[in-house]
Amino acid sequence: MEQLIFSLLNGIIYGLLLFMVSAGLTLIFGMMGVLNFAHASFYMLGAYFAYTLQGAIGFWPAVVAAPVLVGLVGVVVERYFLRRVHRHGHAHELLLTFGLSFIIAEAIKLFYGNYPVDYHLPASLDFPAFSIGGTQYAAYRLIMGGIAIAMFIAIYLALTRTRVGIVVRSAIHRPNMAEALGHNVPLVFMGVFGAGAALAGLAGAVAGAFYTTNPNMALELGVMVFVVVVVGGLGSLPGAMLASLLIGIVTSLAVGVDRSLADLFDLVGAGEWARGVGGLLTLKVSSLAGTLPFALMLLVLLLRPGGLMGEKE
């Protein structure tokens, strides 16, 4: 029971972290139709900016300042790069952001080296929240989860309950009408892209202090972020939250299952046959945990191509 509780908690926190990163990508695609391959690189920049600023201004000020800097980088990328290729279609946008991800990764290695940096929690935050059976659970994990939930509520309310959200949504669905009403649509797009980049930067600044901050962190999480967006539904913020939690919990619980698929056949008396067949049937579920999100994505694409909460055509 103790292991189940901790696995479930870890899965929820990991899922909320995935949402923190994927929220910006969901916002950018939902508002602009741009599938940004460099989005995970903004997550990495947030961690490195916070690491750089931590020694000078402290941990929490660095966590606040880092996403602002990443948002400014996103504004520059949209204004001087993406806007120039937007009229040429999605292929050019994908190629541009794909190349940009490599440039950011190499720049990080150039300035910080090709090894993890010492970005860590301050002593005031390094304490257990509770313990079960002698096993302690880090309080900072719960803090990360709380920040992710607050982010979801803030974005949702901003898009549905504020004038800014109305202008943004109108600029997407009726750009000509929005311009006729005096709104600067290119400026709105630039702001949306910058905000999406800042959200990824906030996730990096918060998570980088707990997990390892290294030049490969964008690659490690980048693919999973796209899985979240596809499973939840392109452009759906609630869908991104649902998919993130689902993937996080399934992956975390699977890691703790030390049984193979052949063990299931024992229930019907066919266990020996399954072990004789071998292959995937003899692999332990824990060894397949990393592939389960992709299997889930494949299943969703087959049964509901628009995603769990995506809009139907």
Side-chain angles (χ1 to χ4, degrees), residues 118-310:
D118 187 25
Y119 180 36
H120 58 271
L121 292 176
S124 59
L125 294 175
D126 191 11
F127 62 92
F130 56 87
S131 63
I132 300 177
T135 303
Q136 296 180 336
Y137 197 79
Y140 191 72
R141 285 182 179 269
L142 301 181
I143 294 174
M144 287 193 296
I147 293 174
I149 294 173
M151 176 191 291
F152 172 74
I153 295 173
I155 298 173
Y156 183 80
L157 292 178
L159 291 177
T160 60
R161 297 289 188 273
T162 66
R163 179 177 175 82
V164 173
I166 295 174
V167 172
V168 168
R169 287 184 286 122
S170 64
I172 300 305
H173 299 291
R174 297 289 186 272
N176 294 331
M177 181 64 71
E179 281 190 322
L181 292 173
H183 299 295
N184 189 333
V185 173
L187 182 62
V188 172
F189 285 173
M190 185 174 67
V192 168
F193 194 90
L199 293 176
L202 175 60
V206 170
F210 189 81
Y211 300 103
T212 304
T213 298
N214 64 80
N216 297 319
M217 61 190 300
L219 182 62
E220 294 168 356
L221 199 62
V223 177
M224 198 61 63
V225 171
F226 279 95
V227 173
V228 168
V229 174
V230 172
V231 172
L234 294 174
S236 172
L237 194 67
M241 173 62 86
L242 175 62
S244 298
L245 291 174
L246 183 61
I247 290 173
I249 292 173
V250 168
T251 303
S252 181
L253 292 179
V255 169
V257 178
D258 193 29
R259 292 183 176 274
S260 66
L261 297 177
D263 294 330
L264 296 177
F265 286 86
D266 287 331
L267 300 176
V268 294
E272 292 299 325
W273 170 83
R275 293 181 181 86
V277 173
L280 289 175
L281 295 179
T282 58
L283 289 177
K284 293 183 178 180
V285 175
S286 58
S287 64
L288 298 173
T291 64
L292 291 180
F294 302 98
L296 177 62
M297 181 179 68
L298 178 61
L299 183 64
V300 169
L301 288 175
L302 289 174
L303 300 179
R304 189 179 174 87
L308 295 177
M309 300 186 69

Side-chain angles (χ1 to χ4, degrees), residues 69-152:
L69 294 176
V70 177
L72 293 176
V73 173
V75 166
V76 171
V77 169
E78 196 284 330
R79 174 63 181 83
Y80 295 102
F81 296 93
L82 272 176
R83 190 175 298 185
R84 294 176 180 270
V85 302
H86 185 69
R87 64 179 179 274
H88 297 295
H90 294 305
H92 288 74
E93 294 171 344
L94 291 176
L95 290 173
L96 174 65
T97 55
F98 187 68
L100 182 63
S101 66
F102 283 99
I103 293 174
I104 293 176
E106 293 303 317
I108 290 293
K109 294 176 183 178
L110 179 64
F111 286 99
Y112 295 95
N114 192 16
Y115 49 82
V117 296
D118 187 25
Y119 180 36
H120 58 271
L121 292 176
S124 59
L125 294 175
D126 191 11
F127 62 92
F130 56 87
S131 63
I132 300 177
T135 303
Q136 296 180 336
Y137 197 79
Y140 191 72
R141 285 182 179 269
L142 301 181
I143 294 174
M144 287 193 296
I147 293 174
I149 294 173
M151 176 191 291
F152 172 74

Side-chain angles (χ1 to χ4, degrees), residues 7-74:
S7 296
L8 188 60
L9 282 174
N10 288 337
I12 292 173
I13 299 302
Y14 176 61
L16 290 173
L17 171 62
L18 286 178
F19 170 76
M20 289 180 70
V21 184
S22 63
L25 182 61
T26 301
L27 183 66
I28 291 172
F29 184 86
M31 299 298 153
M32 301 175 61
V34 175
L35 201 54
N36 179 20
F37 266 87
H39 190 73
S41 298
F42 293 143
Y43 162 75
M44 179 171 63
L45 281 178
Y48 274 93
F49 283 162
Y51 160 71
T52 304
L53 296 171
Q54 182 184 25
I57 62 177
F59 178 75
W60 285 116
V63 169
V64 174
V68 175
L69 294 176
V70 177
L72 293 176
V73 173

